[in-house]
């Protein structure tokens, strides 16, 4: 498996023609953009001689699940700092169940204690003789971005074969490393005029743009690309519905209907919120005749909780 694996498919949904990148069926440890990142981390950790990681995320974190299963595959130690209650983590299925079954050390913490807990876990693993790597929540290290630059390069190759180029690229945007990687990838392949729109699943506009731009600038430096992304990030916060994991009945009914007519599965926390936001923006901004690409980042485990 390498992280350039990419499938995109054509759909017509409610009269709108779309191309969809199917990272939801990325064929490794449950799929999704976090699985793509985990493959990149696996390569990096092997090359650098690490044998343990410390990372963090919520009770239903796709990132935690992907990293925990990647570590299990390699027989590496994995310490998860899980932001949530012990009761919820013990009861829920989906990603939480896979975390429990993976053999990872699962420490339940309050969100405000994340940095302290992760530092403590790093010290503990070192004291036990491991060589741990600190994985920023959501995969916000270099490996978590470069894999999406490479994915965009593969997308460009496939689209060139069809003579097709998007006008807009939409995705659900959380911690920001996926959007940053895609944005830098677009510039790397000469598609800098493609509008990459992140639909926020949690963060407010100012913080979201800041984090994505900073990570994109780090990636640009890594690739020797002379770009400053401070004023170039498109981050839409109109569909937060109050915050992370929040949604409306209208959105849920719409996504259920999409599944019945297309077979596409969307959760209400991540990709579904992104897809709903995109379809609303197409209508509001009259983008019906534009070439639209949606990057499906996964989230099926969130439905199965």
């Amino acid at each position: 498996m390498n992280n350039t694996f990419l499938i995109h498919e054509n759909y017509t949904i409610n009269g709108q023609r779309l191309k969809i990148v199917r990272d939801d069926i990325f064929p490794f440890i449950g799929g999704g953009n976090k699985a793509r990142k985990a493959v990149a981390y696996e390569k990096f950790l092997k090359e650098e001689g690490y044998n343990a990681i410390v990372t963090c995320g919520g009770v239903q974190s796709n990132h935690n699940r992907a990293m925990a299963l990647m570590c299990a595959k390699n027989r590496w130690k994995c310490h998860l700092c899980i932001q949530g209650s012990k009761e919820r983590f013990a009861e829920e299925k989906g990603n939480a169940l896979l975390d429990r079954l993976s053999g990872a050390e699962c420490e339940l913490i309050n969100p405000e204690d994340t940095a302290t807990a992760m530092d403590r876990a790093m010290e503990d693993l070192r004291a036990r003789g491991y060589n741990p790597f600190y994985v920023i929540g959501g995969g916000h290290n270099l490996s978590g971005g470069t894999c999406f630059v490479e994915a965009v390069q593969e997308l460009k190759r496939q689209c060139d074969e069809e003579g097709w180029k998007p006008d807009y690229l939409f995705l659900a945007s959380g911690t920001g490393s996926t959007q940053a990687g895609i944005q830098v990838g677009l510039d790397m392949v000469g598609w800098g005029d493609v509008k990459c729109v992140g639909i926020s699943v949690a963060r407010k506009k100012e913080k979201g743009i800041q984090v994505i731009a900073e990570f994109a600038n780090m990636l640009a430096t890594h690739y020797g690309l002379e770009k400053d992304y401070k004023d170039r990030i498109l981050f839409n916060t109109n569909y937060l519905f109050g915050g992370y994991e929040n949604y409306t009945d209208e959105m849920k009914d719409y996504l259920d209907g999409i599944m019945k007519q297309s077979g596409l599965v969307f959760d209400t926390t991540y990709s579904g919120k992104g897809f709903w936001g995109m379809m609303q923006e197409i209508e509001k901004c009259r983008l019906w005749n534009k070439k639209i690409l949606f990057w499906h980042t996964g989230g099926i485990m969130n439905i199965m909780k």
Side-chain angles (χ1 to χ4, degrees):
M1 170 56 60
N2 63 70
N3 53 31
T4 58
F5 177 93
L6 185 139
I7 291 176
H8 76 269
E9 297 176 335
N10 298 309
Y11 290 85
T12 299
I13 295 177
N14 293 342
Q16 177 64 47
R17 296 177 66 184
L18 303 167
K19 278 191 184 293
I20 299 180
V21 171
R22 298 294 310 275
D23 263 8
D24 58 313
I25 55 174
F26 188 80
F28 183 61
I29 52 179
N33 64 327
K34 303 305 184 184
R36 182 181 292 279
K37 291 180 182 183
V39 171
Y41 274 102
E42 181 180 38
K43 181 175 183 291
F44 166 78
L45 295 168
K46 285 180 178 178
E47 289 174 348
E48 299 299 320
Y50 292 100
N51 61 2
I53 68 161
V54 174
T55 194
C56 66
V59 169
Q60 284 295 336
S61 167
N62 291 292
H63 165 73
N64 276 359
R65 173 259 304 164
M67 298 302 288
L69 293 177
M70 180 272 291
C71 284
K73 174 190 173 188
N74 291 281
R75 298 185 181 179
W76 294 333
K77 185 64 69 176
C78 178
H79 187 100
L80 303 177
C81 293
I82 300 172
Q83 301 150 338
S85 71
K86 291 181 180 180
E87 294 76 17
R88 182 184 171 196
F89 180 68
E91 292 171 0
E92 291 194 1
K93 296 182 180 178
N95 289 311
L97 174 60
L98 294 178
D99 289 348
R100 298 195 301 270
L101 295 175
S102 71
E105 299 174 350
C106 299
E107 178 184 3
L108 278 296
I109 62 169
N110 295 319
E112 60 270 22
D113 298 328
T114 300
T116 300
M118 289 182 69
D119 288 344
R120 184 174 60 242
M122 289 287 290
E123 292 175 7
D124 177 65
L125 286 169
R126 291 191 187 106
R128 288 191 273 158
Y130 292 99
N131 183 24
F133 184 74
Y134 189 110
V135 180
I136 300 172
H140 213 69
N141 304 90
L142 193 63
S143 297
T146 56
C147 61
F148 280 93
V149 174
E150 294 169 5
V152 171
Q153 290 170 336
E154 174 60 19
L155 174 67
K156 170 69 158 52
R157 185 192 68 76
Q158 293 181 17
C159 288
D160 282 350
E161 292 179 352
E162 302 174 21
W164 190 88
K165 174 187 172 184
D167 298 307
Y168 286 82
L169 188 159
F170 288 87
L171 74 153
S173 191
T175 59
S177 49
T178 300
Q179 184 174 351
I182 290 173
Q183 181 67 69
V184 172
L186 291 172
D187 285 323
M188 291 282 291
V189 301
W191 278 4
D193 57 335
V194 176
K195 294 177 176 62
C196 178
V197 183
I199 304 294
S200 177
V201 302
R203 284 183 172 149
K204 295 183 179 179
K205 187 174 287 286
E206 184 177 353
K207 178 66 173 177
I209 289 175
Q210 175 192 342
V211 171
I212 296 166
E214 288 176 353
F215 193 72
N217 284 343
M218 181 181 76
L219 283 170
T221 299
H222 172 74
Y223 285 105
L225 192 64
E226 295 184 2
K227 296 278 186 179
D228 185 350
Y229 290 90
K230 182 180 178 182
D231 299 316
R232 296 191 57 207
I233 302 301
L234 302 177
F235 188 70
N236 187 309
T237 57
N238 294 335
Y239 308 99
L240 288 174
F241 305 125
Y244 182 66
E245 293 188 315
N246 292 352
Y247 60 93
T248 64
D249 290 340
E250 181 185 10
M251 179 183 127
K252 176 67 164 58
D253 291 343
Y254 177 85
L255 296 174
D256 288 347
I258 295 300
M259 181 168 63
K260 291 172 184 175
Q261 67 171 276
S262 69
L264 291 165
V265 179
F266 291 109
D267 71 300
T268 55
T269 301
Y270 298 108
S271 58
K273 189 174 279 191
F275 190 84
W276 166 261
M278 176 189 71
M279 296 302 282
Q280 300 306 302
E281 289 298 300
I282 289 172
E283 191 69 25
K284 272 201 266 184
C285 301
R286 300 184 178 182
L287 304 179
W288 309 300
N289 295 320
K290 299 295 184 180
K291 295 176 182 176
I292 307 291
L293 185 144
F294 180 73
W295 201 297
H296 193 326
T297 52
I300 191 170
M301 296 298 175
N302 302 99
I303 294 175
M304 302 170 69
K305 63 185 180 181

